[in-house]
Amino acid sequence: MTCNCTQYQPIELDRISIKRRIKESPAIRKSLVVLSENTELRLSLFQCPSCEQFWQSGHEWNFGDEEYLFQVPPISIEEWLEESYKQPAAMMIYSAMMSDYYEKLGDDQGDSSCRVDGCSDRVVRFCVFCKQHQVESLQGQGKLPQFPIGRIFPPYDGS
Ligand SMILES: [Zn+2]
Ligand SMILES: [Zn+2]
């Protein structure tokens, strides 16, 4: 039996590719076997019985929480349960929100140095922190998204 795994390219980190993959996913899922499930994160690890390709599911509230599947490198179930792969839509939303925010912050610096102990960087204009600590502070307050959890994998690691 042949499969269609190689027909699918890695999801590009844009809305169109993610939406397209959400549509394709029910058909992809049909030919896969579930290897494991992480019920806390509501993620599944799959394998194709013909070519042995591994797949993982993802979902993102920003896309109606609908499930989509993407290819991932081979991994043992134990390792996967410990830490699953990063979800492409989460990576995309994170980088989009962060670059919007960085743009809003701008490059103007104030005269004083960052309020964080041991940090000698100058503050962002009208802030009490430097750029990095301003972002970290807002992440801590839940006002900016956290860096997406999970293992990075090709091609998203830049390879
Ligand atoms: Zn396959
Ligand atoms: Zn700082």
Side-chain angles (χ1 to χ4, degrees), residues 98 101-102 116 129-144 146:
M98 294 312 267
Y101 185 70
Y102 276 112
V116 171
F129 298 121
C130 70
K131 216 168 206 182
Q132 186 199 335
H133 286 122
Q134 174 70 15
V135 165
E136 285 176 12
S137 149
L138 290 175
Q139 284 177 322
Q141 297 167 39
K143 289 178 185 161
L144 277 178
Q146 300 287 333

Side-chain angles (χ1 to χ4, degrees), residues 89-128:
M91 293 188 247
M92 185 209 81
I93 286 169
Y94 180 80
S95 56
M97 289 188 69
M98 294 312 267
S99 65
D100 281 358
Y101 185 70
Y102 276 112
E103 199 168 303
K104 214 168 74 182
L105 271 185
D107 286 320
D108 284 356
Q109 293 184 314
D111 294 324
S112 39
S113 41
C114 178
R115 192 186 272 181
V116 171
D117 277 348
C119 180
S120 54
D121 289 347
R122 301 238 317 270
V123 295
V124 178
R125 208 161 167 223
F126 307 124
C127 297
V128 297

Side-chain angles (χ1 to χ4, degrees), residues 1 31 63 122 124 132 147:
M1 195 184 98
S31 61
F63 291 90
R122 301 238 317 270
V124 178
Q132 186 199 335
F147 189 68

Side-chain angles (χ1 to χ4, degrees), residues 59-79:
H59 45 78
E60 183 61 45
W61 59 268
N62 222 278
F63 291 90
D65 208 33
E66 287 184 86
E67 186 182 70
Y68 61 96
L69 269 53
F70 50 96
Q71 288 111 320
V72 292
I75 188 168
S76 75
I77 289 170
E78 294 73 35
E79 282 179 293

